[in-house]
Amino acid sequence: MGRVSRREFLIAGAAAGGGLLLGFRTGERAPALAAAATPPAFAPNAFIRIGTDGRVTMIIGQVEMGQGMYTSMPMLLAEELEVGLDQVVVEHAPPDDKLYGNPLFGFQATGGSTSVKGLYGPLRRAGATARTMLIAAAAKRWVVDPASCRAERGAVIHTASGRRSTYGALAAAAAEMPVPEHVALKRPEDFKLIGTPAKRLDTPAKVNGTAQFGIDVRLPGMKIATVAASPVLGGKVAGLDEGKAKAIKGVRQIVRLDDAVAVVADHMWAAKQGLAALAVRWDDGPNAHLSTGDVVKGLEAAAQTPGVVARKDGDAAAAMAGAAKKIEAVYEAPFLAHATMEPPNCTVHVQKGSCEVWTGSQVLSRVRATAAEVTGLPLEKVVVHNHLLGGGFGRRLEVDYVTQAVRIATHVEGPVKVVWTREEDVQHDVYRPYYYDRIAAGVDARGRPIAWTHRLVGISILARWLPPAFTNGIDIDAVDGAVQLVYAIPAIRVEYVRHEEPVLKTGFWRGVGVTHNIFVVESFIDELAAAAKQDPVAYRRALLSKSPRARAVLELAVKAAGWGQPLPAGRGRGVALLYSGWDTYVAQVADVEVSPSGDVRVHRIVCAVDCGTVVNPDIVKAQIEGGVIFGISGALYGEVTLKNGRVEQSNFNNYRVLRMNEAPAIEVHLVRNNEAPGGIGEPGTAVTAPALANAVFAATGKRIRKLPLKPDQLRSS
Amino acid sequence: MVTLKINGKAHTADVPPDMPLLWVLRDVVGLTGTKFGCGAALCGACTVHLDGQPVRSCVMPVAAVAGKNITTIEAIGNTPSGRKIQQAWLDLEVVQCGYCQSGQIMSAAALLASHPHPTDADIDAGMAGNICRCGTYSRIRAAIKHAAGG
Ligand code: FES
Ligand code: FES
């Protein structure tokens, strides 16, 4: 490693075997989370490696879980470096918070729709710096002014003479060049890659079976284990029938932990059968008799107490008192499981003095830390190999399954792959929390809101997951979407009541805070429109004078959806609008049909999206499409319930998700501009439930305030 | 001991006769392209072809498939419909995380082989057993039509 540029915090040096190695640390932070992050060191954050053979390798600290990270991140680098995506090889980065910390979290995490938002500037600057150094090296060699040279597809060209040298030939010399303090970034009109629907780099391996997910790891001498943890949180193993399990061919070992049992075998089938044969008896512990109703009672009681004020405009209480009419409602959103298609799994090899881990994780440095903690080894003795993720959605922001696998592996000779069954996954997830919201508006004589109070009650994920981000009693994620209310209402008060219900582990779930808040806010605005006997679009439009971008997406979506055109009986259109800390605006129009038996069929979804600068419009569209489907699954079917402390759902038969024959036509319209990029992984999910609930209201006149939109709430015959 | 014909090659495996084909493929033979999603014929991630017919390998006892031609995602590109489907998947950028896609492609290839010009209803019937948690359904539908047209 060589010299460091103080201004840009870029670091350059010679790569092993010659060539140029360039890293940087990301210095940009979102104000909201900046206080939570540790101060950055002079350490590089991601790397470009240019070999003397001209091979350009990009080492990506963000993980690929379907959201196109291994394409959009390289696009940012390649744009400024002046190489084609076809000239780039992507490598998974190892865990290292200092090197690969997410600027918006302060450590290495992929989630919260933050990657493009946080890395758009830093990755481009890194690419531009490498390009500048390569040009400088060529100019020096040719004794010409660097300004007379240009870069193109991995080569530097002296425009006047036509002399040309490849990056590979220049890489070693470039490594000797000073790191420039300022680099010129390309103007948006000169972009060759950014803004184009470039092909994804990860797709070819995913259509022929060669892509390696964590679950596909195979090592010499590796055993396979499957596990059962206590069905009730806090329960312990009370007894088991070891003999029967060991009699099964292929079963090698039973590992008994205090709260879980694993069967280690030659293959998954023997492990599964062994686990069944163990007939584990459990001591259920203190949560043995709890049900969902107990959780709701706790939330309900907490909702009677005032919360911490998260937004205050004017005097909401006074405005409410002076209103012509007050409208109030309670909304509820259930526990939800992630059910990533790739079930949780982790392969571990514990040896004397070392530990190796193979898994797919959104938080690699935490994988490493938990393995070190369980084994008692120093961090540097833990090696983590990251893999493609078969879905993240927030599930793989947790390392519970890694911790457990390492605990098991400490009892096993040789490497062991611990694979959860789907039943284990659905019943031991880190669930989207249950939320309980009290919301009210005071309206004037024409039905327009003049006062707005929103008290939301739920557990704080950030207080556990990123404690420094939980400040002054506010979980900025839990209130996200509620505090950014775009409607022009003179008096607004948003309160947050933290209420912990330790009956299930809870965590992030594709847009968690926003997903629940937008459901509440956009359903309630619809209620106000209905109370005022106004069209839901016209009612919103009149409140959007101060938010032109929100208004623009609304207009685009309603026009494309044919808002106002007649629909057959039993059908209805609903609209919802989203703006939140992701800095993305989305409007959605849903067209649904409700059958006499109360089943909801979604016919068509139209989304208009303004996420500022678009890196890859096809990836943005795919993320919105996928987010919408995820949102429909949640809104129509998603519900995890508890009885006697146990989760009642177990697999895709009773934790239903949307299927091909139920999937609507989805249209995504993008607004293109040069605003700062916003997040796109989660908005599609968050905007969907309220659009559906509002469409159901339009179709049936029934206002559903508690998700999911179950047939028994909607039956008419 | 069973002898299996997988992708045109014979494999012998010392496994119990009731062991599902999925685990033989993944944990014994080492073909990991076929995925585990539910273990209960609910998600389609484990779909393979048995003499050209799509089956859920997670519930298919290995004893029942001895002597039959087993085709997995690793070799589906050698069939005309498989090749077309894979290309359509690339052309339309169907894939997100990719975990379900081995199964989706196996189901789609079987559908295209039996219905060269599938209707929406054919696609619903042929693909409803394959869950995609990333929500790629509209692109899968479009890609199947694209493959049928090309
Ligand atoms: S794993 Fe076989 S259908 Fe789900
Ligand atoms: S692409 Fe991720 S589950 Fe289908």
Side-chain angles (χ1 to χ4, degrees), chain A residues 67-87:
Chain A
Q67 82 285 41
M69 231 11 69
Y70 284 4
T71 308
S72 45
M73 296 287 113
M75 282 174 80
L76 297 174
L77 286 162
E79 179 70 64
E80 296 287 349
L81 183 59
E82 294 291 358
V83 292
L85 270 188
D86 56 322
Q87 297 173 295

Side-chain angles (χ1 to χ4, degrees), chain A residues 132-156:
Chain A
T132 306
M133 292 167 76
L134 287 155
I135 288 178
K140 190 174 171 203
R141 186 171 291 170
W142 298 330
V143 204
V144 298
D145 179 0
S148 66
C149 301
R150 66 178 202 275
E152 209 177 278
R153 277 197 63 80
V156 179

